[in-house]
Amino acid sequence: MLSGSGGNITVLNGKEGQFLVDAGIAVSRPRVEAALRALGSGPVKYVVNTHYHWDHTDGNPWLHDLGATIIGTAGTAKRVSTVTRVDFWDYTFQPLPAGGVPTDIVKKDKNYHFAGQTIEVRLARPSHTDTDLYVIFKEANVASLGDLFWNGVYPFIDNEHGGGIDGMIAADDAILARLKDDVVIVPGHGPVGTKKQLKEFRDMLADIRDNVAALKKQGKTRDEVVAAKPTAKYDDVYGHFVIGPDFFARIVYDGLK
């Protein structure tokens, strides 16, 4: 796992080259290239995008220029091809160059075979976004979950682009049912994790969702819900990264249908 270039990057290294999950951000290219060369001298052959967000796809163009095939959902290909406004971040993302757009489109669950591994690429229901997938390296018993799992920190959920707290919980339930108990998990953000930590993350999401839903049902406004501190039980563990407690409470409130 390579950390420090936006979202975490997973690298499978073999005689035929390298298979990556997520591409990080382009400005990190020198450091990412150095890390990849330290792992092996073979070319990058494939890059899977777990979803469309910039911190997981911005490195696509330079990796494609080196010969990599970019893999992603149709939703990811669509979103990185157009101007995308995320009001929650007050930022407008510009489209990637044509070479950075996924060309190997995952329309249903699909397996790849590379470096002695069966690589299971699995579609997720709308959850973190409406473009999500995750990857399991079967023989190695490693799962790369993208932003369906933020280990030890509150997640961003892209309500504006198909995501939602209920979808996140349902996606994590489906993943938990599929994974072995001793699986090694690469999260989208945070350190390498375990199935136990993923379950704790899922339960945190559900508990905060229930807290916010109860307050919203009482007719409280978003500001009133945030002021009620519905995340307080978990803030010492999860509330110390980009998404703070109040920010996450707003995300959950807006994502409830």
Side-chain angles (χ1 to χ4, degrees):
M1 185 181 88
L2 306 182
S3 294
S5 177
N8 291 327
I9 300 171
T10 307
V11 185
L12 169 62
N13 188 70
K15 291 181 180 179
E16 58 266 68
Q18 296 174 327
F19 189 111
L20 274 57
V21 180
D22 284 326
I25 55 178
V27 71
S28 301
R29 176 178 179 172
R31 290 182 294 148
V32 173
E33 278 196 291
L36 292 175
R37 296 290 69 80
L39 292 172
S41 59
V44 179
K45 303 290 285 186
Y46 296 95
V47 180
V48 178
N49 292 154
T50 57
H51 61 291
Y52 87 91
H53 281 156
W54 168 82
D55 55 325
H56 297 258
T57 59
D58 192 52
N60 284 0
W62 73 262
L63 288 162
H64 172 265
D65 288 347
L66 294 182
T69 297
I70 310 297
I71 303 166
T73 63
T76 292
K78 177 182 176 181
R79 294 207 185 282
V80 301
S81 300
T82 60
V83 174
T84 303
R85 173 73 180 176
V86 180
D87 287 335
F88 233 106
W89 291 117
D90 189 26
Y91 196 83
T92 300
F93 294 95
Q94 298 301 313
L96 292 177
V101 178
T103 55
D104 190 345
I105 304 301
V106 182
K107 298 180 180 179
K108 61 182 180 179
D109 292 350
K110 184 175 183 179
N111 289 351
Y112 295 80
H113 298 278
F114 190 89
Q117 291 291 320
T118 303
I119 303 166
E120 302 175 346
V121 179
R122 299 291 176 252
L123 296 174
R125 61 171 289 168
S127 40
H128 171 63
T129 70
D130 58 4
T131 69
D132 297 291
L133 56 75
Y134 62 97
V135 180
I136 298 173
F137 298 87
K138 186 176 179 180
E139 289 79 9
N141 195 26
V142 171
S144 298
L145 303 188
D147 282 0
L148 299 172
F149 177 37
W150 297 45
N151 192 15
V153 293
Y154 288 131
F156 176 63
I157 302 174
D158 194 343
N159 296 318
E160 297 171 74
H161 299 98
I165 184 68
D166 289 328
M168 279 279 282
I169 295 165
D172 285 342
D173 282 339
I175 293 168
L176 284 163
R178 184 183 291 271
L179 298 182
K180 296 179 180 179
D181 288 344
D182 59 347
V183 66
V184 176
I185 302 177
V186 177
H189 300 272
V192 169
T194 64
K195 187 174 181 179
K196 179 176 180 290
Q197 289 172 315
L198 175 59
K199 178 64 162 57
E200 291 169 349
F201 174 81
R202 178 266 174 215
D203 290 346
M204 173 274 294
L205 295 180
D207 196 17
I208 292 175
R209 184 270 314 273
D210 292 347
N211 292 344
V212 173
L215 293 166
K216 192 171 184 178
K217 188 175 181 180
Q218 294 171 17
K220 295 187 181 297
T221 66
R222 187 173 76 167
D223 287 347
E224 290 171 335
V225 170
V226 170
K229 303 297 181 184
T231 67
K233 177 180 175 181
Y234 301 97
D235 289 349
D236 286 347
V237 174
Y238 293 95
H240 54 82
F241 191 52
V242 174
I243 309 299
D246 290 355
F247 194 170
F248 187 57
R250 291 195 296 271
I251 289 170
V252 174
Y253 183 95
D254 288 354
L256 286 170
K257 305 303 181 184

